[in-house]
Amino acid sequence: MDTTIARGLAGVTFDTSEICFIDGEQGQLIYRGYDIRELTDATFEEVCYLLWHDDLPTADELAAFTRQLSPGFAVRDEVIDLFRALPAGTDPMHALRSAVSLLAAFDEDPDGVDDANLRRIGRTLLTQFPALVSSFERIRNGKEPVEPDSSLSIAGNFLYMLTGERPSEAATRVMDVALVLHAEHGSNASTFVARSTASSLTDAYSAITAAIGSLKGPLHGGANAAVMRALESIGSVEGVEPYVLDVLAKPQGRVMGFGHRVYRVLDPRAKILEDVSKTLAAESGDSRWFEMSLEMVRVMDREMAAKGRQVKANVDFFSASVYRMLGFPTDMYTPIFAVARISGWMAHLYEQYADNSLMRPRLNYEGPTGRTFVPIEERG
Ligand code: CMC
């Protein structure tokens, strides 16, 4: 028996997939054959359709898909009651995970894992995620939730249900780009968790609830909020260098928003978000967060090069300043990631359930052996 250990499953290929290809050496991210740099011209709905089908939709296919989605944004009263019952200070990711878990109880067929039922659940969750995140944000701030506007897109409804005002085309476009960039990324930690959970043939809600929990961690989707907290604590461009040097001097010190298991060159999503951040900084007249981010890249590039390491900014790095300039509170950044990634998670669940194999790896046992049981009254 092969007992080679791949810690963190690094380098392990567990199945085949037709959804996403990442070339970590060339810095390429491909959704079903299309380069992410071209897909930023598409809407989030077009990209969801692409991830869930074989190709981009025609105009008619997109219209039909959008019609199927539009009733799904309304948040049921039981979820609103849950949000009101959560203690003050509840993290929005805990709120989202709990709400998704609750939705299973009200679903007409939560356990069915045939393709048609899974796609129905996928449409429900794709529209519920933005509605849940925005409704929770309003409720925790003492405001009434906003009813969705079925004429708006996913990005538009998210902003509308958050603010109660119809979003500008420009704001909706930036949101669309952010959602497209975060929609899918192969066998990342949370997608693996979703597929692994599903592999016992449990229900899709359980798989997605587990994935939300995985995404929340600071080494994964939680990194965008951690980046912002770091920038806030630094406060100025001059403070960036001492901050970075201080983090790197610590054993296992990690500067949030840098590094990736797969990319050895710049994550293409980071470059796109850098450009968005630069534009927003120019438009808003507040370039502080963008300039601090650029300085952090400069110092990290220098320090990592000195160590002979290829550690570049990742997708979470510039999304922090982008979301800041769009006015989102810091603890909402990771839920926004989830609003996008539900599309990728569901695409992977369609694949997983269609040709399932139970995920059951092994551990090398290194504990004691040969012990003899001693009754409790005789143990010293
Ligand atoms: N700061 C400083 N050094 C780093 C960093 C970083 N953020 N990331 C990697 N390194 C260096 C480090 O020198 C390490 O060498 P050593 O083991 O000698 O200390 C080497 O690169 C390998 O790092 P690793 O952590 O063993 O690599 P990994 O593939 O296990 O980790 C990672 C990838 C994303 C967990 C890690 O880069 C990290 O902790 N980054 C910070 C958190 C972050 O930004 N996460 C978001 C990831 S991308 C999008 C997403 O999934 O949400």
Side-chain angles (χ1 to χ4, degrees), residues 4-286:
T4 309
I5 295 175
R7 295 202 68 223
L9 301 182
V12 172
T13 302
F14 74 90
D15 213 328
T16 59
S17 174
E18 296 182 1
I19 303 168
C20 178
F21 173 68
I22 305 165
D23 186 332
E25 306 297 328
Q26 302 294 323
Q28 277 192 327
L29 170 58
I30 310 288
Y31 294 174
R32 290 200 190 272
Y34 294 95
D35 193 302
I36 191 70
R37 286 168 284 217
E38 295 185 17
L39 288 174
T40 51
D41 288 337
T43 62
F44 183 49
E45 280 82 349
E46 285 176 82
V47 169
C48 292
Y49 187 98
L50 171 68
L51 294 172
W52 290 7
H53 301 85
D54 286 339
D55 207 345
L56 285 163
T58 62
D60 285 350
E61 286 166 340
L62 182 64
F65 184 57
T66 309
R67 264 196 309 279
Q68 281 185 312
L69 292 178
S70 59
F73 292 104
V75 181
R76 43 186 322 128
D77 291 346
E78 293 86 351
V79 174
I80 298 293
D81 291 345
L82 165 75
F83 286 162
R84 291 195 205 284
L86 293 174
T90 298
D91 184 288
M93 285 298 278
H94 286 306
L96 176 65
R97 196 194 57 243
S98 304
V100 170
S101 197
L102 183 62
L103 286 179
F106 292 97
D107 192 284
E108 65 192 60
D109 184 7
D111 295 316
V113 295
D114 60 284
D115 194 61
N117 194 51
L118 288 169
R119 283 170 191 267
R120 180 190 59 77
I121 292 174
R123 289 192 295 273
T124 300
L125 294 180
L126 186 65
T127 42
Q128 280 291 292
F129 268 48
L132 296 173
V133 172
S134 50
S135 299
F136 178 69
E137 178 60 17
R138 288 186 70 85
I139 289 169
R140 73 170 171 164
N141 284 300
K143 297 178 187 163
E144 285 301 310
V146 172
E147 291 295 321
D149 178 340
S150 60
S151 70
L152 293 175
S153 65
I154 293 174
N157 246 321
F158 172 65
L159 296 172
Y160 176 66
M161 292 180 77
L162 191 61
T163 63
E165 289 165 21
R166 287 182 74 88
S168 67
E169 264 186 41
T172 308
R173 186 86 277 276
V174 174
M175 203 62 227
D176 253 331
V177 170
L179 295 178
V180 166
L181 292 179
H182 287 83
E184 163 58 11
H185 210 240
S187 179
N188 59 88
S190 57
T191 301
F192 177 71
V193 163
R195 290 188 72 135
S196 178
T197 305
S199 80
S200 73
L201 295 185
T202 188
D203 63 289
Y205 283 97
S206 295
I208 296 300
T209 306
I212 295 170
S214 169
L215 184 73
K216 177 173 171 291
L219 297 189
H220 189 12
N224 53 16
V227 170
M228 196 63 233
R229 291 191 190 102
L231 293 176
E232 278 168 343
S233 77
I234 295 166
S236 68
V237 172
E238 298 69 43
V240 169
E241 181 157 1
Y243 170 87
V244 171
L245 296 180
D246 186 49
V247 172
L248 295 181
K250 292 180 180 138
Q252 302 293 317
R254 294 286 183 271
V255 179
M256 292 291 126
F258 288 84
H260 201 277
R261 181 61 68 77
V262 183
Y263 292 114
R264 290 293 155 257
V265 294
L266 187 66
D267 178 337
R269 302 167 300 172
K271 176 66 188 131
I272 298 166
L273 285 165
E274 177 182 341
D275 294 344
V276 175
S277 181
K278 186 178 181 181
T279 305
L280 289 175
E283 284 171 3
S284 68
D286 180 6

